[in-house]
Amino acid sequence: MGRRQILSLMVVGAMAFTMTACGGSNSTSSSASSAKASSGAVSSATGASSSTSTAAASSSQVVSETSTEETPAVAASIDFEDGNFGFVGIDKVVNRAADDSTLEVADFNGSKALKVTPTGTGSIDVAIQADALLGADAGKLKTVEMSAGIENPDGKFSAVSGNIYGLVGENKDQTQDAWSVYLETANPKTITYTVPDGYTFGEGNYLVVSVESDVAKDAGGTPAILYLDDITFKDADGNVLKADSTAQFASQDTGNDRSNLFALTSPTEIEGFQVSADAWAQAGIDLTEDQIKAIDKNTVFEISYTSETGNMWLVFPGAEKGWMRIGVGDADGSGQGYAYLNSSKNIAQVDFKTISKYLGKDPTKWGTTLQCESDGKWEVYSVKMGKKAKHYTLNGGVSIEGFQKKADGWAQDGVEVSEDVMKTLVPGTAIEIDYTSETGEIWLVFPGAEKGWMRIGVGDYDGSGQGYGIFDGSKCFITYETIAKYLGEDTSKWGTTIQCEASSAWEVFDVKIGKAVVMKANNRQTEVEGFATSADGWAQAGADLTEDQIKALVPGSVININYTSESGEIWLVFPGAEKGWMRIGVGNFDGSGQGFAAYDGSHAQVAYETIAKYLGDDTSKWGTTLQCEASTAWEVYGVNIGQTK
């Protein structure tokens, strides 16, 4: 059962309990909310009158919604009266399918509040950059209180529920406290989160307020609007901590981290594979006959997930060769066949080659049941089937000016491109489309092509999307060679108009042309411990390699770097190499960063063969110290050595 189903049941259960239990309490008065609103006040946005609220309270015997005892007003840490809300943003770490909601400060319940309006069908996931808000006091944080209210656009109250997540500790472990607004007479209400014992809230830690179950939306209605107000941070003694409302949100979005993975063509989500379980428990679905028939030698199963250990396995309980788990992690020797894993450790891929090694090459003998499992508590958000393809990125890509477009299904929009832009499309280049669409499709459309109107891209709806593009989470890559297959090699005959289209509503944020570089999918990754480090420009920092790590550096291996830098550069530095001090990586500032790495802006990949070109084939002569550097301030979050063979 997924988290949305569980929360829906929680709401129904809570509503039933409240309606039947005499004296049930759901107090809205708190030290934070009482400073702005009188006890028991009902949001004017709900459209409910005070007389209606009183009748509802009376009929359900809820007599303790309003306390006769006055609670002293305590100033909240954040009350939004100054209009500042730069410290909040949309989070897609907790839930990759989070809605791209709009944020603004608006009037609600007699004061200013943060208004969160959904724009799609995903969950609401609002991140609050609590570490920046609290600064030096972040480590004192123990509890968080805030007022949560909802507004139903149709004016008819419906319940919502979700969680307040705390991403806490050095590894940003995901902790949570549930909340709900299920009574119109308790809207808004105070919701709380407590930092668990054993954790200290620190740098890089933040909060996420989610709406995961929305009764109106789940019934086909318009999603509720969420209002947050009077955010109050308290220490262990209950003292209110001051917050700097000018703090800024630092995006933690790793939902589209495609590092170390294959790209997919023709990706199809396996319906109903939103499941969760405790450690060593399995859950999944039965595959259809058509899904089994679609499996071939190029098939990849892609799992979007979280787990306490980072491990995730596919389980085949009905395989002819016997029960088998295959995936990420080899706990007690039981997870045979390593999967491909991204740097964020929330997407794993298991390919046909790996599965067939254990279960044979005939998918009809794998059994019809497909499950997931881990050795820690886990949740799977989606499982896709697709065909493996090269993972492209652009090095030196240039945006096509004015290509920020959106339209409904089957509608095209785009730009006229100059002759000079068309000339940049040569063998070895690709067009990158940064987009969203309801179906995942996106096509390039060439309405003026000499060979006739043509769409080429991701998705082959009704046979019309010829020449599959490479889908990479939120981007599509269409190579020159793919377009030339349909329109010919002479770009002057492609026409000067390039548009986009999908069979559903779509939005394009950017379209670039650049050199197509392949990021190699890799598995069996060996983490270089202690390589979470940072430095200013021209300064080096890193770690000493172990004997096992040096042995992992073999032909076909790559060094993966998860990083940020002001210039986009990152270099590997070998200070103890027998052939002399050397930097190799992304960027060739003043000729000093020899051997360009593949990179996508936040992940770089330096192949063994690239390093060997400068330092020789014998890794024992590369030295035991590995560092990073850039010409500007930089930070590395992790380094590992992966295998491509």
Side-chain angles (χ1 to χ4, degrees):
M1 182 177 288
R3 66 176 186 164
R4 186 178 298 276
Q5 294 167 291
I6 293 170
L7 285 160
S8 294
L9 289 173
M10 286 171 58
V11 171
V12 173
M15 291 174 71
F17 175 82
T18 305
M19 295 299 289
T20 58
C22 180
S25 174
N26 216 11
S27 176
T28 61
S29 63
S30 74
S31 59
S33 62
S34 61
K36 284 193 175 184
S38 60
S39 178
V42 180
S43 167
S44 60
T46 64
S49 67
S50 58
S51 60
T52 304
S53 301
T54 303
S58 175
S59 64
S60 62
Q61 297 298 306
V62 179
V63 296
S64 56
E65 285 296 332
T66 338
S67 174
T68 57
E69 186 176 327
E70 290 293 328
T71 302
V74 177
S77 305
I78 294 290
D79 61 12
F80 296 101
E81 294 302 317
D82 58 8
N84 292 340
F85 65 101
F87 50 85
V88 296
I90 301 303
D91 179 77
K92 295 194 178 183
V93 174
V94 171
N95 178 15
R96 291 186 63 242
D99 184 89
D100 291 315
S101 310
T102 61
L103 305 172
E104 61 182 312
V105 171
D107 292 326
F108 179 73
N109 199 42
S111 67
K112 299 293 184 185
L114 179 71
K115 181 180 181 180
V116 187
T117 305
T119 58
T121 58
S123 63
I124 290 176
D125 288 81
V126 181
I128 301 170
Q129 201 70 48
D131 62 332
L133 284 166
L134 297 175
D137 284 342
K140 300 177 183 178
L141 180 63
K142 185 61 179 176
T143 60
V144 183
E145 298 175 355
M146 65 185 79
S147 172
I150 61 170
E151 175 182 290
N152 295 100
D154 62 3
K156 191 175 180 180
F157 178 84
S158 294
V160 303
S161 64
N163 285 290
I164 302 179
Y165 294 93
L167 283 86
V168 296
E170 185 178 346
N171 297 319
K172 298 180 185 174
D173 293 338
Q174 186 174 301
T175 64
Q176 64 198 72
D177 284 328
W179 69 273
S180 62
V181 175
Y182 54 85
L183 287 177
E184 189 171 11
T185 53
N187 178 35
K189 67 178 284 190
T190 297
I191 63 176
T192 62
Y193 165 80
T194 301
V195 178
D197 293 341
Y199 283 99
T200 299
F201 205 88
E203 184 177 353
N205 291 177
Y206 64 103
L207 304 169
V208 177
V209 182
S210 72
V211 175
E212 297 165 25
S213 179
D214 180 335
V215 172
K217 183 180 76 173
D218 293 346
T222 304
I225 297 169
L226 173 67
Y227 289 87
L228 298 177
D229 198 3
D230 292 326
I231 303 172
T232 307
F233 303 111
K234 294 182 179 181
D235 64 17
D237 295 324
N239 300 310
V240 175
L241 301 173
K242 291 184 178 180
D244 177 8
S245 66
T246 64
Q248 291 297 305
F249 173 69
S251 175
Q252 303 288 332
D253 182 6
T254 59
N256 294 318
D257 174 10
R258 307 292 301 178
S259 59
N260 315 330
L261 303 175
F262 293 107
L264 300 181
T265 61
S266 313
T268 303
E269 185 163 341
I270 299 177
E271 298 272 343
F273 218 129
Q274 293 77 41
V275 293
S276 61
D278 291 328
W280 301 111
Q282 305 93 36
I285 63 164
D286 290 330
L287 296 175
T288 67
E289 188 175 338
D290 287 342
Q291 287 168 338
I292 293 171
K293 284 181 179 178
I295 299 171
D296 62 25
K297 65 180 181 179
N298 293 314
T299 295
V300 175
F301 290 93
E302 179 173 294
I303 313 163
S304 297
Y305 74 100
T306 59
S307 79
E308 290 178 339
T309 62
N311 292 336
M312 177 53 61
W313 306 309
L314 283 180
V315 176
F316 298 84
E320 192 172 286
K321 288 197 173 184
W323 188 98
M324 183 66 66
R325 62 166 66 98
I326 303 171
V328 174
D330 193 16
D332 197 25
S334 56
Q336 300 91 340
Y338 293 100
Y340 297 83
L341 178 66
N342 69 349
S343 294
S344 300
K345 296 180 173 55
N346 61 7
I347 302 178
Q349 291 180 336
V350 187
D351 64 346
F352 176 92
K353 182 179 178 181
T354 302
I355 300 170
S356 63
K357 180 179 177 181
Y358 299 99
L359 302 183
K361 295 183 178 180
D362 184 355
T364 64
K365 296 182 179 181
W366 296 358
T368 58
T369 301
L370 185 63
Q371 298 174 326
C372 282
E373 181 193 10
S374 180
D375 56 343
K377 188 175 181 179
W378 60 272
E379 182 167 4
V380 165
Y381 306 117
S382 73
V383 177
K384 292 186 177 77
M385 283 176 58
K387 307 303 180 185
K388 71 167 65 171
K390 292 179 180 178
H391 175 172
Y392 286 106
T393 185
L394 297 188
N395 283 6
V398 177
S399 296
I400 297 178
E401 190 174 341
F403 219 132
Q404 292 75 44
K405 304 290 185 180
K406 62 181 177 179
D408 291 329
W410 300 112
Q412 304 96 34
D413 201 357
V415 297
E416 293 288 323
V417 293
S418 68
E419 187 177 331
D420 288 341
V421 169
M422 293 302 294
K423 284 181 179 178
T424 64
L425 285 163
V426 297
T429 61
I431 297 177
E432 173 193 285
I433 311 170
D434 186 1
Y435 77 102
T436 61
S437 76
E438 292 177 358
T439 57
E441 298 166 333
I442 199 74
W443 305 312
L444 283 180
V445 176
F446 298 85
E450 191 172 286
K451 288 198 172 183
W453 189 97
M454 183 68 66
R455 60 165 68 97
I456 303 172
V458 172
D460 193 15
Y461 188 94
D462 196 24
S464 56
Q466 299 92 339
Y468 292 105
I470 308 252
F471 175 66
D472 215 7
S474 64
K475 294 181 180 178
C476 167
F477 293 85
I478 304 175
T479 64
Y480 164 91
E481 288 75 12
T482 299
I483 302 171
K485 179 179 177 181
Y486 297 97
L487 301 183
E489 297 179 358
D490 185 353
T491 57
S492 70
K493 296 181 179 180
W494 293 5
T496 58
T497 302
I498 299 180
Q499 299 173 328
C500 281
E501 182 194 10
S503 67
S504 62
W506 58 270
E507 183 170 4
V508 166
F509 307 109
D510 194 15
V511 177
K512 291 181 179 177
I513 300 173
K515 180 182 178 183
V517 177
V518 176
M519 301 281 285
K520 295 181 179 180
N522 59 93
N523 60 9
R524 291 163 291 152
Q525 293 153 4
T526 303
E527 202 72 29
V528 180
E529 299 293 337
F531 220 124
T533 186
S534 61
D536 292 330
W538 301 111
Q540 304 94 36
D544 289 331
L545 297 175
T546 66
E547 189 175 336
D548 287 343
Q549 290 163 352
I550 292 172
K551 285 181 179 178
L553 289 165
V554 296
S557 65
V558 294
I559 299 178
N560 298 302
I561 313 167
N562 182 15
Y563 78 102
T564 59
S565 77
E566 293 176 359
S567 61
E569 298 167 334
I570 200 73
W571 304 314
L572 285 179
V573 175
F574 299 84
E578 190 172 289
K579 287 197 173 184
W581 189 97
M582 183 69 65
R583 62 164 67 99
I584 303 170
V586 175
N588 193 22
F589 187 92
D590 196 23
S592 56
Q594 299 92 340
F596 292 103
Y599 68 101
D600 63 6
S602 61
H603 297 90
Q605 200 174 77
V606 187
Y608 165 93
E609 288 75 13
T610 301
I611 302 169
K613 180 179 177 181
Y614 297 98
L615 301 183
D617 293 332
D618 186 352
T619 57
S620 70
K621 297 181 179 180
W622 292 5
T624 58
T625 301
L626 185 64
Q627 298 174 327
C628 281
E629 182 194 9
S631 68
T632 57
W634 58 271
E635 183 169 6
V636 166
Y637 307 109
V639 171
N640 67 58
I641 301 166
Q643 308 300 323
T644 64
K645 295 182 179 179

